[in-house]
């Protein structure tokens, strides 16, 4: 168990020699608990349609300039086939929050992917109703990703442009998802305007308390077409106690997450790789054991514009570059579904 003070101590540390200790500690805990396999999850961004107006996300419903798309069932299954052919153990079906996605349609796609390729299926489609989640589970979905973004209710309401929430809707829903039999994944963005050291320390404590099976953390990347992105880019000075949205700080949070959640599956996220040319490597060397290669075909991938992407880090997206990075670290691609390890027996 990590204490609040220990977490805060590491979050505030700047000395690279001391920080080296943190990376090594996290790497050792990763190796002892989840081994050297790097699980590859094929990411299929099947639709950018969204009814939410989140102030941080470039796909928010108020962005009328963005061309919206939804892949066909054949296109989605073709992406899953690529994942299968490349030897990945699972796919992640991700979209904006669109209550009109027909659950029958999505359920049938899940069933087809499971039947044809035997892959584990993870969903990341926002805050669905319990009956929808039950249906998708029944059709074969195994896991669900729903980042709570920040556990601080005040900051959450601010970035979501929501008011008068009595409790955090996503933290509640994660618990429901577990009860429905899903493996559950949460996570946060790092460096949101107004996010403080103690908020992030509490987020990491919550990862531990919820006993998350998967934890994804990535830097907040301001999108100039969003309300929050404009505020961020125009701000002249730092708010006191504000945490940076840097690769170094993200690396600290990944390492601390590994110490807090030794058995969780933790990705080196695309957002990290997007702000740092060796983002995947530093993630994998500091506690991460998962990469989610993007399988979304162009022109759709460019339309899935959560945040602006920097084209100079092309390597982040290439299957073979990812394999090379894994080999360079003397690690190996995972085999099988790569679900959460559980030992001693039971949770
Ligand atoms: N920068 C970084 N990450 C973002 N996300 C959404 N918008 C941004 C942004 N501007 C993340 C959120 C969401 C996930 C799918 O993408 O954490 O849960």
């Amino acid at each position: 168990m990590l204490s609040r003070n220990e977490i805060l101590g590491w979050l505030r540390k700047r000395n690279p020699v001391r920080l080296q200790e943190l990376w090594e500690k996290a790497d050792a805990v990763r190796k002892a608990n989840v081994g050297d396999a790097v699980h590859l999850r094929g990411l299929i961004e099947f639709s950018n349609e969204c009814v939410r107006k989140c102030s941080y996300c470039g796909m928010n419903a108020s962005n009328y300039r963005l061309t919206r798309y939804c892949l066909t069932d054949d296109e989605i299954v073709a992406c899953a086939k690529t994942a299968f052919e490349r030897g990945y153990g699972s796919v992640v079906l991700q979209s904006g929050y669109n209550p009109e996605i027909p659950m029958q349609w999505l359920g049938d796609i899940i069933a087809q992917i499971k039947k044809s390729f035997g892959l584990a299926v993870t969903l990341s489609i926002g805050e669905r109703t319990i009956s929808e989640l039950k249906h998708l589970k029944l059709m074969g979905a195994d896991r669900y990703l729903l980042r709570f973004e920040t556990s601080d209710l005040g900051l959450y309401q601010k970035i979501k442009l929501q008011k008068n929430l009595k409790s955090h809707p996503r933290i509640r829903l994660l618990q429901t998802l577990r009860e429905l039999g899903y493996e559950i994944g949460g996570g946060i963005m790092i460096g949101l305007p107004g996010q403080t050291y103690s908020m992030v320390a509490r987020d990491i404590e919550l990862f531990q308390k919820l006993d998350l099976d998967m934890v994804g953390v990535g830097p907040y990347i301001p999108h100039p077409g969003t309300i929050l992105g404009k505020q961020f880019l125009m701000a002249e000075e730092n708010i006191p106690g504000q945490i940076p949205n840097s690769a170094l700080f993200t690396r600290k949070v990944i390492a601390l997450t590994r110490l807090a959640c030794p058995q969780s599956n933790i990705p080196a996220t695309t957002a990290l790789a997007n702000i740092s040319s060796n983002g995947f490597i530093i993630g994998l060397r500091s506690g991460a054991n998962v990469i989610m290669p993007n399988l979304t075909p162009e022109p759709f991938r460019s339309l899935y514009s959560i945040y602006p992407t920097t084209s100079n880090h092309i390597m982040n997206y290439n299957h073979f570059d990812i394999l090379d990075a894994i080999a360079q670290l003397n690690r190996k691609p995972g085999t099988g579904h790569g679900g959460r390890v559980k030992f001693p027996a039971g949770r």
Side-chain angles (χ1 to χ4, degrees), residues 96-153:
Y97 177 68
N98 173 9
E100 287 176 10
I101 297 174
M103 288 297 120
Q104 212 72 45
W105 172 80
L106 187 57
D108 290 346
I109 292 171
I110 295 168
Q112 196 182 337
I113 292 174
K114 302 227 46 150
K115 185 166 154 252
S116 306
F117 311 119
L119 299 170
V121 174
T122 302
L123 299 175
S124 176
I125 57 174
E127 295 159 48
R128 318 302 311 192
T129 65
I130 295 186
S131 69
E132 290 175 329
L133 295 170
K134 277 186 182 159
H135 173 72
L136 299 172
K137 186 83 195 61
L138 208 65
M139 298 306 283
D142 302 281
R143 309 177 188 148
Y144 208 98
L145 300 179
L146 187 71
R147 288 188 179 178
F148 50 78
E149 318 296 5
T150 168
S151 59
D152 185 275
L153 195 56

Side-chain angles (χ1 to χ4, degrees), residues 56-57 94 147 149 170 189 219-221 306-307:
Y56 48 87
C57 179
Q94 191 178 77
R147 288 188 179 178
E149 318 296 5
R170 292 188 166 199
M189 282 180 283
Y220 164 62
I221 303 174
I306 295 177
Y307 49 75

